[in-house]
Amino acid sequence: MNDRRDEHPLPVGGAVLRVWRTIIGDVSNIFIIIGATTLAVLLLMNQPLHPQPWFDEGLNAGAAAMIARAGVYALPDADSPRISDPAIQTGPIVLIPIALVYKLLTPSIALARLVIVPFALIAFVTFAVLARRLTGPWSAILATVCMMAGAGGIFNSFVPMGRMVLGEVAALAYLLLGLLIWIRALRLPSGQQAWTYWLFSGLAWGLAMTTKSQVLILVPVALATLFVLDRIYYRQLKPAAIIVSGSAAVGCAAAWYGAQFVIAGDRAPANLNVLREGFQLHIAAFEPHYWRNALGVLWRSAWWLWGAPALLWGLRQAWQRTEHGLTHASVLIFPSLSLLWFTVFSIGWERYAFYFTTLSFLWLGGILSDGWQHLRRSIGARRWFLGLYIAMVTGLFVWNGLTMIAHIVQPKESGYAAMVQFLQRHISPEAIIATWEWEIAVEAHHRLRHPQTSVTNAATRFIMSRRRPPDDLYDAFQTNPEYILVGAFADWVGVYHEELRSERVQKIAENGIYRLYRVIP
């Protein structure tokens, strides 16, 4: 039997119970419609001013622009396209729709962000339905509202991430869709219908794996862990469920990465070396000095206040050796493993906390509903403690939500559009511009020369280790540029500090966070 906190039988009879469930089911569905509409408004308002266009978006939108303009899977560069560069962070399920839109209209960051909106809406609906399946309709509404309010940061909150040209939200949509299909299959007897559900859950997970590298590792490890747990504890799963879904997921990922190897051609060996560097840096770092970064993210987002209790509440549900327990365990494994990876093996960047942070909200509504029920029955110190906890969590998400809305309604101008217009009006398209601001490449149509991805990986390693990159990490003058364009990423890395102190450069334009310098021969 499902132990859903919102669905205790009412003492007035079965007929009234059926009516009640119909009403709350309708309320839940109405909420999803209203919530999706509200989300669409939040995603479309004042684009692309908040968050400001930035480096990683430029990598994704630039790759889509190359597909649209030249029919190649590559990053744009002044010398030659970087075919199948590992720095392209998002898979074809996102890049191809953006490229198709670019074919019809002029490429821009704003246009690419519009393509992400449908993925965000799918993720929202699947999240709300999955939360309802796990904890009941009223708890699901609480969980979904808190999820939309966010965790306080741009890169670990759902709405801001849905406003950017990144792969996390699209991958989340397919991950949640796969979980919904998987949970549905748990209720089915082994047979052709169950095999179909296993296959489609695996295909959904496979699409998520091809979209973001973090999910590439997460899904196989989660399925293997679930298999072991079931053999030891639950004893309900058919081995074929893991085999079919896992094979479909891994097959999708293998096909995509194999295709990239073929596309790369002569660049394949060099790309593999860079991919290995990136894997060791971003996926399997296991460096104690990165752990402080991860703990800082957990502290600043107050995840310890709401996320950890939510996962523990989910663990309590998963402790039952029933279909209900296995259902919760099937979902709980994903944020738990993502949290473990983030704190121990990643570089501790806030963006890498997105998956376990967002998935933790699934159980937050349950613990808040339970807390409210216990508050009404408690007395003394326990009542005060529960009241204080609920007030703190409620206040946190009200603040997060209002802050997020304020940033969207009244965004700060970064100078991106003004700098693009300046380049288009005053700088020859044939001029070579050294820059690390990949977002400029989408709309500027100039010969932009970017540092190689291996240099970016090296700089990231220094920065995330709280060390200053060496001055000789990259010498822009060696590439003989006519101009140097500096923005947020270059300032963060400090890669052009030596060049900008030189008498060989002269600032000719400044718009917001962007500065353009002429290199004096």
Side-chain angles (χ1 to χ4, degrees):
M1 294 291 293
N2 287 350
D3 185 22
R4 299 191 202 177
R5 302 306 186 194
D6 297 325
E7 298 187 7
H8 293 300
L10 298 177
V12 291
V16 174
L17 175 61
R18 286 192 295 271
V19 173
W20 171 250
R21 287 180 172 173
T22 300
I23 293 173
I24 61 176
D26 289 342
V27 169
S28 180
N29 292 332
I30 292 172
F31 166 77
I32 292 176
I33 295 172
I34 295 174
T37 304
T38 303
L39 176 63
V41 173
L42 291 174
L43 294 175
L44 296 172
M45 184 182 296
N46 287 331
Q47 285 284 21
L49 299 180
H50 178 77
Q52 64 189 33
W54 66 292
F55 182 91
D56 283 13
E57 285 191 285
L59 292 171
N60 296 325
M66 285 298 296
I67 296 173
R69 292 166 179 162
V72 294
Y73 178 71
L75 289 176
D77 198 67
D79 299 318
S80 63
R82 299 184 186 178
I83 306 295
S84 194
D85 194 299
I88 304 174
Q89 305 176 354
T90 300
I93 199 68
V94 173
L95 296 185
I96 290 177
I98 296 175
L100 292 174
V101 173
Y102 280 178
K103 269 287 190 182
L104 301 174
L105 302 169
T106 303
S108 68
I109 293 290
L111 196 58
R113 287 184 173 187
L114 295 182
V115 177
I116 303 299
V117 172
F119 292 107
L121 293 174
I122 293 172
F124 172 84
V125 172
T126 51
F127 178 95
V129 174
L130 182 58
R132 184 173 63 187
R133 173 66 182 85
L134 292 173
T135 63
W138 293 112
S139 295
I141 290 174
L142 280 174
T144 308
V145 169
C146 291
M147 186 270 290
M148 288 184 66
I154 290 177
F155 297 111
N156 61 353
S157 297
F158 179 76
V159 173
M161 289 291 281
R163 288 176 60 89
M164 292 185 280
V165 192
L166 303 174
E168 275 82 355
V169 169
L172 176 68
Y174 286 107
L175 181 65
L176 292 171
L177 182 61
L179 283 169
L180 278 176
I181 299 172
W182 172 269
I183 288 173
R184 178 69 180 89
L186 293 179
R187 296 182 169 186
L188 299 175
S190 181
Q192 184 176 359
Q193 188 178 15
W195 278 66
T196 302
Y197 277 82
W198 297 336
L199 175 63
F200 278 99
S201 66
L203 291 176
W205 287 332
L207 292 175
M209 291 166 68
T210 63
T211 303
K212 287 304 299 180
S213 57
Q214 297 96 307
V215 185
L216 176 68
I217 304 299
L218 178 61
V219 169
V221 176
L223 288 177
T225 304
L226 182 61
F227 176 78
V228 173
L229 280 176
D230 182 73
R231 294 299 92 189
I232 295 174
Y233 190 73
Y234 295 103
R235 298 184 179 277
Q236 297 181 47
L237 282 177
K238 301 292 183 182
I242 300 292
I243 295 172
V244 173
S245 58
S247 298
V250 173
C252 284
W256 170 235
Y257 281 92
Q260 288 189 70
F261 185 83
V262 173
I263 293 170
D266 295 338
R267 292 181 61 97
N271 285 354
L272 283 176
N273 288 333
V274 175
L275 189 63
R276 189 180 304 111
E277 291 176 1
F279 182 85
Q280 293 171 349
L281 172 64
H282 296 281
I283 304 298
F286 196 69
E287 292 285 348
H289 49 257
Y290 294 147
W291 299 348
R292 183 169 60 171
N293 300 335
L295 292 176
V297 171
L298 296 178
W299 175 259
R300 290 189 300 273
S301 65
W303 185 87
W304 52 272
L305 175 66
W306 60 268
L311 291 189
L312 290 175
W313 190 90
L315 179 62
R316 179 187 172 193
Q317 308 305 309
W319 205 259
Q320 305 172 47
R321 288 186 171 181
T322 60
E323 178 193 305
H324 175 76
L326 180 58
T327 297
H328 278 268
S330 298
V331 183
L332 188 65
I333 279 175
F334 286 88
S336 301
L337 290 175
S338 179
L339 172 65
L340 175 65
W341 168 77
F342 174 74
T343 53
V344 179
F345 296 101
S346 80
I347 59 177
W349 187 17
E350 181 182 88
R351 182 176 167 191
Y352 292 162
F354 174 74
Y355 288 110
F356 76 82
T357 299
T358 305
L359 293 175
S360 296
F361 284 110
L362 287 168
W363 295 275
L364 182 59
I367 193 172
L368 290 177
S369 296
D370 260 9
W372 178 252
Q373 294 298 325
H374 286 296
L375 176 67
R376 296 171 61 186
R377 297 193 298 266
S378 300
I379 59 174
R382 184 179 183 184
R383 180 182 180 88
W384 281 102
F385 174 79
L386 288 173
L388 178 62
Y389 178 78
I390 293 174
M392 289 174 63
V393 173
T394 302
L396 173 68
F397 288 109
V398 168
W399 173 260
N400 288 349
L402 292 177
T403 303
M404 174 199 67
I405 292 172
H407 287 156
I408 293 174
V409 174
Q410 295 182 321
K412 294 181 179 179
E413 176 58 64
S414 69
Y416 169 78
M419 181 54 74
V420 169
Q421 290 177 4
F422 182 89
L423 293 174
Q424 292 172 340
R425 293 174 181 176
H426 302 287
I427 306 300
S428 168
E430 298 302 316
I432 295 179
I433 304 173
T435 185
W436 270 30
E437 316 310 322
W438 278 98
E439 69 274 15
I440 297 292
V442 180
E443 301 179 54
H445 307 298
H446 287 71
R447 299 181 65 192
L448 304 181
R449 181 168 284 159
H450 306 87
Q452 294 294 322
T453 302
S454 57
V455 178
T456 305
N457 286 338
T460 303
R461 182 176 291 107
F462 280 103
I463 295 296
M464 298 306 293
S465 300
R466 302 171 188 262
R467 294 177 292 164
R468 185 175 181 269
D471 293 334
D472 60 353
L473 178 65
Y474 178 72
D475 185 357
F477 289 147
Q478 288 186 353
T479 63
N480 299 316
E482 298 171 62
Y483 300 90
I484 296 177
L485 176 61
V486 178
F489 191 80
D491 281 336
W492 180 63
V493 176
V495 70
Y496 293 130
H497 282 175
E498 290 298 311
E499 288 85 349
L500 299 184
R501 285 196 292 263
S502 168
E503 295 181 354
R504 292 185 55 190
V505 299
Q506 177 186 16
K507 185 164 68 174
I508 61 173
E510 181 171 0
N511 290 292
I513 62 174
Y514 297 96
R515 305 182 303 280
L516 182 66
Y517 298 84
R518 177 185 288 113
V519 178
I520 302 172

